[in-house]
Amino acid sequence: MKNIDSFGHVRGESLFVDDINTNHGTLYGLAFDSPKAHGIIKNVDYSKAKNLNGVIKIFTYKDILGENQIGGIIPDEPLWAENEVHFIGQPIAFIVAESEAIAKKARALITIKIEEKPVITTAKEAKEKGEFINAPRSFKLGDTTTSFKNCEYVIEGETFSNGQEHLYLETQGCYAIPMENGNIKITSSTQGPTSVQKTVAKVLGIAMHKIEVDVIRLGGGFGGKEDQATPWAVMAAVAVQYLKKPVKYILSRQDDLRMTGKRHPYESTFKIGISKDLKIQAYEVEFLQNSGAAADLSPAIAERTLFHATNSYFIPNVTTTVHSCRTNLPPNTAFRGFGGPQGMFVIEAAIAQVAEKLGIDKKIIQEVNLLHENDEFSYGQIATQVEIKNSWTSAKNKFNLDKLESEITHFNNSNTQFKKGISLMPITFGISFTNTPMNHARALVHIYQDGSVGISTGAVEMGQSVNTKMLQIASQTLGIASSKVKLETTNTTRVANTSPTAASATADLNGKAVLQACNTLIERLTNVAATMLSIDKSAVSFKNETVFINGEKSNLNWEKVVEQAMLERVSLTENAHYTTPIIHFDKTKEKGHPFAYHVYGTAITIVTLDCLRGTYETDAVKIIHDFGNSMNIGIDKGQVEGGLVQGIGWMTLEEISYNNEGKLLSNALSTYKVPDVFSAPKSIEIIPLETTGTKMAILKSKAVGEPPLMYGIGAYFAIQNAIKKFNPNYNLKFNAPFTPEKVLIGLYEK
Ligand code: MTE
Ligand code: LUZ
Ligand code: MOS
């Protein structure tokens, strides 16, 4: 089944926040933000802006009736700066005007005096100065200190991976309208409707039930709207509370790039020890996470880095530590993979470094260290239903790795200007919010009296097609056509207290709730049908909108049963609640069983370098991916392709750049390059791994949103491999992204 939005998207009919019809008298908001990365606000002169015709009011922290606080995990972030600013782009005030153009004009008339303080832009600097978001976290398995002494080879190194801009097509935005009795309805482009509702209530100083948040769909989120869709909605709501007029605020692309956080850059140091038989015995790593100026989701992201620090390998002795370092950049935030990719890049670098030292192929070390059934992760979970070796071997066999390698060797021997490189990239990604209490969801299902169905869940549609999956579950369970099922908007009044749409777990959590609700409804209708037919209910089933008796078609159809249920006053509405069983995690011990299951896979990446120019192309990526038993292979393959290309972008082209004053230099699409159709792999082949799936996944169809991003790490090592073919003197560096500039330097390094 196709994504149910595809028709509307192609025709340009799908609604996003900016497409909603505005009410009469709607006003337009615009944040005024700090031009300096760190300092004391000495004076802000709003007088000229206030006097501009069409400016209604300029809001500052003084206008807040509740708390000036939007921090989710740690209360360390004001909505509007009070006396100090901590990053360029930090909101200080909110201009509300009759039009966007007037608000913009007014913003240019505001002058500000800031007494500047020292600016920190890198994690290392922050660590040296003792600037941290919170206490470090550390996971331990076995005893690395003793183990290193017994290792044949011990190698140390360092890595850097840069941030990444989400570049959702739809920028951040919201539309807030006053309702009666001080209630406010907000349409927001958010992955976390409940976060918006909760934070608005807190800042306005009113109860959550006075705030209704509605989400139609997002034009992409990628984690960038898990937490950072909130401030704009809160600003608009503060204005609505005061003005009692509708307020709309859609960020321009430039404002969005400047003011919002990105993927966290990481600076890391590792030490790896291996035995004679190439088994990794011990691994120590220290991650310095560049968190930006406030916590946002950084502590949770840091935690996931530790969970994935050993990627797909079993290492008996592990010590991992992460520091969330406070810098004067916009607070960095969730981005597909949520710290996992940053952790995996380091272990892959460590293995590459070891292979280089020993003069052997990296994949040999990767292969002998792959996880086995019942191996223990550093966080105490025992690996079960492990498919990593299976995916690795399948990749080698199904894609005929030997042949690929000999073709590459032949190419490299017969070309001087062009060189090809290859890499294998295994991935193992844990599914569940690592914070156990967040793993819950609800679904509210109505069967209307004409037999059509409406479904509300906590899931936000952001292009990943979660609504299509919800619809499939309902139509399958109720035995009705997909055209009879409608997915409602995500709304806090219909489904409350939701976890954000994140962690790839949305279809599992909300889908299980939909399944449960539909099962309950079908049970009720089974009773009604059994009575109508005077047969035992065990003989009744629903399929193709018809009642079947012991598998035989009857004359009774879906509509008739629904009609009868109404007459018998049987409830046609069900609200179901699902919580993931088994999972738990003890943060005092840093041990537990945090994940419902893991997703596995292996990618083979082949690149060609132009050794004159330093440019490269990805020829092919060949992937064996563990979908479990995919409920929609077209959609799921789309997620793998999209995640892969986004991962390759992070590892190769996308270079976030801030200057020493904390100013974003890559502040437009002319200075920030994302993969386009020319730089995406020329071919992507995806073969599903044949597995039984897991009952923990919805209909045994495994989560697919984030894991494929990490296949992109393979591109880094394929490029490195190709450079070596041209310049054997090249010293391996682990400094992502591998931009053509760095490639060129590597090619000609002595
Ligand atoms: N796919 C599209 N098209 N757009 C997105 O914004 N976000 C990704 C992934 N795939 C995203 C996407 C991220 S970061 C996550 S966590 C998952 O989708 C969330 O959805 P899921 O839980 O339904 O997989
Ligand atoms: N968000 C979150 C996430 O709050 N917790 C998680 O574990 C997570 N994992 C991936 C992406 N977002
Ligand atoms: Mo995804 S980073 O969990 O929104």
Side-chain angles (χ1 to χ4, degrees):
M1 180 176 190
K2 269 196 281 200
N3 179 321
I4 52 175
D5 278 345
S6 50
F7 187 78
H9 282 359
V10 169
R11 292 166 61 94
E13 289 171 354
S14 302
L15 296 182
F16 298 85
V17 180
D18 204 16
D19 301 313
I20 302 169
N21 285 326
T22 49
N23 294 4
H24 181 70
T26 291
L27 302 171
Y28 295 83
L30 184 69
F32 166 69
D33 59 299
S34 175
K36 298 288 176 196
H38 194 194
I40 313 277
I41 300 176
K42 285 297 177 191
N43 176 52
V44 192
D45 184 357
Y46 296 109
S47 56
K48 276 189 190 144
K50 276 182 180 163
N51 288 335
L52 189 71
N53 206 1
V55 170
I56 306 295
K57 183 171 165 67
I58 299 178
F59 292 86
T60 68
Y61 73 93
K62 291 177 187 156
D63 298 298
I64 288 172
L65 300 183
E67 281 178 65
N68 182 22
Q69 184 50 248
I70 59 166
I73 297 180
I74 299 173
D76 67 348
E77 191 179 356
L79 177 69
W80 290 311
E82 298 190 4
N83 305 314
E84 252 192 79
V85 287
H86 297 276
F87 63 93
I88 292 178
Q90 181 174 359
I92 297 170
F94 188 59
I95 304 152
V96 177
E98 284 167 5
S99 75
E100 262 176 347
I102 295 170
K104 245 186 188 166
K105 224 178 192 174
R107 183 163 76 176
L109 295 174
I110 300 172
T111 54
I112 183 166
K113 282 208 186 89
I114 293 172
E115 183 187 306
E116 291 185 54
K117 292 173 74 170
V119 173
I120 301 175
T121 59
T122 68
K124 219 177 238 167
E125 232 183 306
K127 191 189 172 210
E128 278 158 16
K129 296 194 173 151
E131 288 286 338
F132 299 110
I133 296 289
N134 58 352
R137 294 276 297 273
S138 202
F139 287 9
K140 278 191 181 67
L141 179 69
D143 174 2
T144 41
T145 314
T146 311
S147 176
F148 277 125
K149 290 180 192 144
N150 303 323
C151 285
E152 189 74 16
Y153 317 97
V154 177
I155 281 155
E156 295 181 51
E158 56 181 33
T159 71
F160 174 76
S161 63
N162 207 337
Q164 185 177 23
E165 166 58 38
H166 301 87
L167 214 81
Y168 23 67
L169 281 180
E170 179 202 27
T171 56
Q172 305 273 7
C174 64
Y175 183 42
I177 55 179
M179 310 299 281
E180 60 179 12
N181 300 326
N183 300 332
I184 298 175
K185 181 176 173 182
I186 301 167
T187 303
S188 167
S189 178
T190 180
Q191 291 173 238
T194 293
S195 314
V196 171
Q197 180 193 25
K198 191 174 161 186
T199 312
V200 167
K202 183 179 184 173
V203 177
L204 270 56
I206 60 178
M208 279 173 77
H209 69 198
K210 296 186 89 67
I211 308 298
E212 174 184 351
V213 177
D214 192 73
V215 183
I216 308 169
R217 63 167 62 72
L218 316 189
F222 306 111
K225 295 171 181 171
E226 183 171 337
D227 231 33
Q228 299 207 358
T230 300
W232 331 110
V234 181
M235 289 179 204
V238 171
V240 169
Q241 183 183 34
Y242 183 93
L243 299 169
K244 307 203 163 41
K245 289 264 179 67
V247 174
K248 182 169 165 174
Y249 181 21
I250 310 279
L251 273 69
S252 70
R253 179 63 67 186
Q254 264 204 325
D255 281 10
D256 190 307
L257 291 172
R258 183 179 69 253
M259 295 165 78
T260 66
K262 307 169 195 321
R263 184 189 291 285
H264 294 75
Y266 272 60
E267 289 168 271
S268 314
T269 45
F270 64 81
K271 182 172 173 185
I272 189 167
I274 68 169
S275 56
K276 242 188 201 146
D277 58 359
L278 304 181
K279 285 265 164 75
I280 306 173
Q281 293 300 334
Y283 181 54
E284 268 179 21
V285 53
E286 183 186 70
F287 299 104
L288 303 185
Q289 176 197 59
N290 187 333
S291 311
D296 192 272
L297 293 163
S298 295
I301 292 161
E303 182 182 55
R304 195 175 269 277
T305 302
L306 300 189
F307 282 116
H308 294 96
T310 56
N311 187 10
S312 305
Y313 310 105
F314 171 64
I315 306 178
N317 302 287
V318 180
T319 306
T320 54
T321 304
V322 62
H323 299 270
S324 292
C325 304
R326 191 191 299 279
T327 60
N328 297 111
L329 300 182
N332 285 317
T333 195
F335 197 135
R336 211 170 191 170
F338 206 71
Q342 290 95 321
M344 290 190 193
F345 177 64
V346 183
I347 182 73
E348 292 303 322
I351 294 173
Q353 186 86 328
V354 170
E356 172 78 356
K357 278 273 152 58
L358 302 186
I360 60 173
D361 195 339
K362 182 186 177 213
K363 72 168 182 294
I364 296 168
I365 302 178
Q366 288 176 299
E367 183 168 315
V368 297
N369 288 287
L370 291 174
L371 273 171
H372 289 103
E373 198 71 11
N374 298 322
D375 279 344
E376 186 177 349
F377 289 103
S378 67
Y379 46 91
Q381 183 160 344
I382 303 301
T384 56
Q385 293 190 282
V386 179
E387 299 288 353
I388 194 62
K389 195 70 180 278
N390 188 6
S391 76
W392 178 277
T393 314
S394 304
K396 279 171 64 175
N397 296 338
K398 296 217 163 127
F399 299 122
N400 204 343
L401 182 66
D402 290 342
K403 184 159 168 273
L404 294 173
E405 285 184 329
S406 66
E407 282 166 6
I408 290 172
T409 305
H410 180 255
F411 179 93
N412 287 340
N413 289 340
S414 46
N415 280 280
T416 45
Q417 190 192 331
F418 295 93
K419 294 290 177 190
K420 284 188 191 289
I422 187 167
S423 74
L424 270 79
M425 180 66 201
I427 61 145
T428 297
F429 195 80
I431 302 303
S432 288
F433 286 96
T434 59
N435 184 25
T436 303
M438 290 173 78
N439 294 282
H440 60 82
R442 279 150 306 288
L444 176 65
V445 179
H446 297 314
I447 302 175
Y448 292 97
Q449 52 194 290
D450 67 352
S452 65
V453 171
I455 297 182
S456 298
T457 73
V460 168
E461 175 59 49
M462 50 185 186
Q464 88 280 37
S465 314
V466 68
N467 279 353
T468 308
K469 290 187 173 179
M470 297 304 104
L471 184 146
Q472 278 181 269
I473 295 160
S475 87
Q476 193 176 316
T477 312
L478 300 173
I480 57 177
S482 51
S483 57
K484 274 216 160 51
V485 185
K486 177 189 170 205
L487 261 292
E488 304 289 355
T489 61
T490 314
N491 186 295
T492 53
T493 303
R494 272 177 272 115
V495 180
N497 307 319
T498 60
S499 287
T501 285
S504 307
T506 319
D508 280 356
L509 296 170
N510 292 275
K512 294 248 183 185
V514 171
L515 184 65
Q516 226 167 281
C518 291
N519 276 332
T520 304
L521 288 166
I522 215 72
E523 244 172 71
R524 284 183 209 146
L525 293 179
T526 298
N527 287 333
V528 173
T531 310
M532 289 171 88
L533 295 162
S534 309
I535 55 167
D536 192 82
K537 64 180 180 189
S538 65
V540 174
S541 61
F542 286 82
K543 215 171 63 188
N544 302 334
E545 294 172 20
T546 308
V547 176
F548 282 68
I549 307 169
N550 291 320
E552 296 286 322
K553 208 172 166 187
S554 78
N555 290 325
L556 190 57
N557 70 18
W558 167 259
E559 272 92 354
K560 288 260 164 52
V561 179
V562 170
E563 202 180 303
Q564 185 64 24
M566 278 298 290
L567 294 174
E568 289 179 20
R569 293 179 289 176
V570 171
S571 167
L572 292 173
T573 288
E574 183 61 12
N575 178 38
H577 173 74
Y578 175 76
T579 60
T580 314
I582 301 170
I583 54 170
H584 57 89
F585 193 71
D586 181 346
K587 284 190 190 175
T588 62
K589 298 194 175 74
E590 302 289 26
K591 294 285 179 194
H593 188 106
F595 298 120
Y597 58 91
H598 288 83
V599 170
Y600 304 93
T602 299
I604 299 176
T605 305
I606 301 171
V607 300
T608 305
L609 293 191
D610 177 335
C611 301
L612 195 62
R613 297 175 176 82
T615 54
Y616 43 77
E617 279 184 341
T618 308
D619 304 342
V621 183
K622 297 167 188 291
I623 297 170
I624 301 285
H625 186 81
D626 165 26
F627 294 98
N629 185 2
S630 174
M631 64 182 290
N632 190 321
I633 194 67
I635 283 169
D636 285 352
K637 279 190 170 176
Q639 284 292 298
V640 174
E641 289 175 358
L644 165 73
V645 174
Q646 206 163 31
I648 293 178
W650 170 55
M651 280 281 111
T652 62
L653 300 174
E654 299 182 35
E655 192 166 38
I656 299 269
S657 176
Y658 288 95
N659 70 9
N660 292 338
E661 279 91 56
K663 182 177 170 8
L664 182 68
L665 301 177
S666 50
N667 64 351
L669 289 184
S670 51
T671 47
Y672 187 77
K673 176 78 182 142
V674 291
D676 56 19
V677 69
F678 301 105
S679 46
K682 280 187 274 179
S683 118
I684 301 174
E685 257 179 282
I686 303 158
I687 301 181
L689 190 65
E690 275 160 37
T691 69
T692 49
T694 163
K695 272 194 251 170
M696 299 289 271
I698 181 66
L699 303 176
K700 297 192 172 179
S701 180
K702 284 190 170 185
V704 69
E706 294 169 287
L709 182 129
M710 284 147 276
Y711 291 133
I713 296 172
Y716 189 94
F717 293 93
I719 291 174
Q720 191 165 66
N721 180 259
I723 294 178
K724 267 311 228 202
K725 293 284 169 351
F726 182 82
N727 178 10
N729 292 327
Y730 167 68
N731 259 318
L732 301 194
K733 278 163 215 64
F734 307 101
N735 184 350
F738 225 145
T739 54
E741 189 180 1
K742 288 183 200 158
V743 171
L744 195 62
I745 293 170
L747 287 167
Y748 294 97
E749 154 185 309
K750 292 280 179 339

